[in-house]
Amino acid sequence: MIACFSPISQEEPKSSTRGAFYDLVLTNPPGAHEALESYGEEVHKLLQRSLALVSEALGQTPEFLSTKIPSSIGTILNHYPPCPQPDLVMGLASHEDGGVCTFLQQSEVLGLEVLKDEQWVPVPPVAHAFIFIVADHLQVVSNDRFKSVTHRALAGPIARSVIANFAAPDMDAVIQPASELCSDLKPPALRSIVYKDVLKVLLKSDLQAKRLEAFRLGQ
Ligand SMILES: O=C(O)CCC(=O)C(=O)O
Ligand SMILES: [Fe+2]
């Protein structure tokens, strides 16, 4: 993993106060900061459009999900160096993402896999395409209609890079099954919680723990 930043945090001063590492990343090559800012703005638009489409798939208005879970994008650049013995290690262990959804932009090297019907299925890279991953809080708000995708990244003999754009709820957002998606037949499956309290649980649990299950009701 080489860098992590929020490209669209408008409040922050242009000259980074986060230390020499960020300053190095944001000024090499010159113009990197501006390029990342406009990348972040475009990914934010992609998030809004995607949430509108997912809202409609839930039979709701286009604004439904962005009102229920106000969120913003944080970006990570993952780099997996070439691995001489890929059978012995994992690039990134099996997990679900903790936010609302993730947009992955892969290089041309195969490595991402998703778990479907208990089988690992490779996700081949498609040039200029983003992979949309349903994450934990979309599962909560949709009251289990969408499932948080279990995924992992394999190590391999060729270096691989991935830009991961995570949509995370605002810290004070209350995450709960939307009342519009609950009924007597389908009562709330997961309990209501403020996002910053979710983070405390997530940070204590390990990556492979199906962390959302800590919030399940009626077990
Ligand atoms: O490297 C990948 O393809 C997956 C990255 C990922 O799942 C993550 O950063 O959460
Ligand atoms: Fe992930």
Side-chain angles (χ1 to χ4, degrees):
M1 190 171 293
I2 54 168
C4 169
F5 43 85
S6 293
I8 52 156
S9 51
Q10 273 99 1
E11 300 86 43
E12 281 195 37
K14 280 239 160 179
S15 152
S16 172
T17 52
R18 285 172 294 194
F21 174 72
Y22 286 99
D23 287 340
L24 187 70
V25 170
L26 294 175
T27 52
N28 284 283
H33 193 173
E34 291 71 17
L36 286 166
E37 255 178 12
S38 64
Y39 179 85
E41 280 161 19
E42 293 307 315
V43 175
H44 190 73
K45 285 185 210 159
L46 181 63
L47 170 67
Q48 298 309 324
R49 286 183 59 189
S50 306
L51 290 184
L53 291 171
V54 176
S55 299
E56 288 178 347
L58 290 167
Q60 306 296 323
T61 61
E63 306 73 38
F64 180 73
L65 283 172
S66 32
T67 312
K68 295 281 180 197
I69 16 176
S71 24
S72 52
I73 296 276
T75 297
I76 284 179
L77 309 180
N78 287 343
H79 181 72
Y80 305 90
C83 176
Q85 292 183 288
D87 296 344
L88 300 183
V89 290
M90 191 54 69
L92 190 57
S94 163
H95 66 284
E96 294 86 37
D97 290 345
V100 177
C101 60
T102 305
F103 297 94
L104 289 180
Q105 206 179 354
Q106 307 190 76
S107 63
E108 64 284 358
V109 181
L110 201 64
L112 177 66
E113 293 190 332
V114 295
L115 193 63
K116 183 171 187 300
D117 304 328
E118 309 301 316
Q119 302 281 332
W120 285 108
V121 181
V123 181
V126 175
H128 311 299
F130 286 86
I131 293 151
F132 177 89
I133 293 196
V134 173
D136 286 352
H137 301 305
L138 189 47
Q139 174 166 350
V140 177
V141 175
S142 76
N143 199 25
D144 266 354
R145 292 214 206 162
F146 292 112
K147 301 286 188 212
S148 192
V149 177
T150 305
H151 57 288
R152 68 182 186 181
L154 302 181
I158 304 173
R160 176 169 174 266
S161 299
V162 174
I163 305 177
N165 299 284
F166 299 100
D170 294 353
M171 284 295 168
D172 293 320
V174 178
I175 316 284
Q176 58 193 350
S179 53
E180 294 84 342
L181 304 173
C182 297
S183 65
D184 290 345
L185 282 179
K186 189 90 180 79
L190 296 135
R191 80 184 146 89
S192 159
I193 193 158
V194 178
Y195 183 60
K196 57 181 174 232
D197 296 332
V198 176
L199 284 184
K200 290 180 200 151
V201 176
L202 294 191
L203 293 173
K204 269 193 256 156
S205 55
D206 86 72
L207 191 66
Q208 303 187 54
K210 285 221 169 249
R211 299 170 294 185
L212 195 56
E213 295 310 307
F215 304 101
R216 190 161 293 281
L217 289 168
Q219 296 285 309

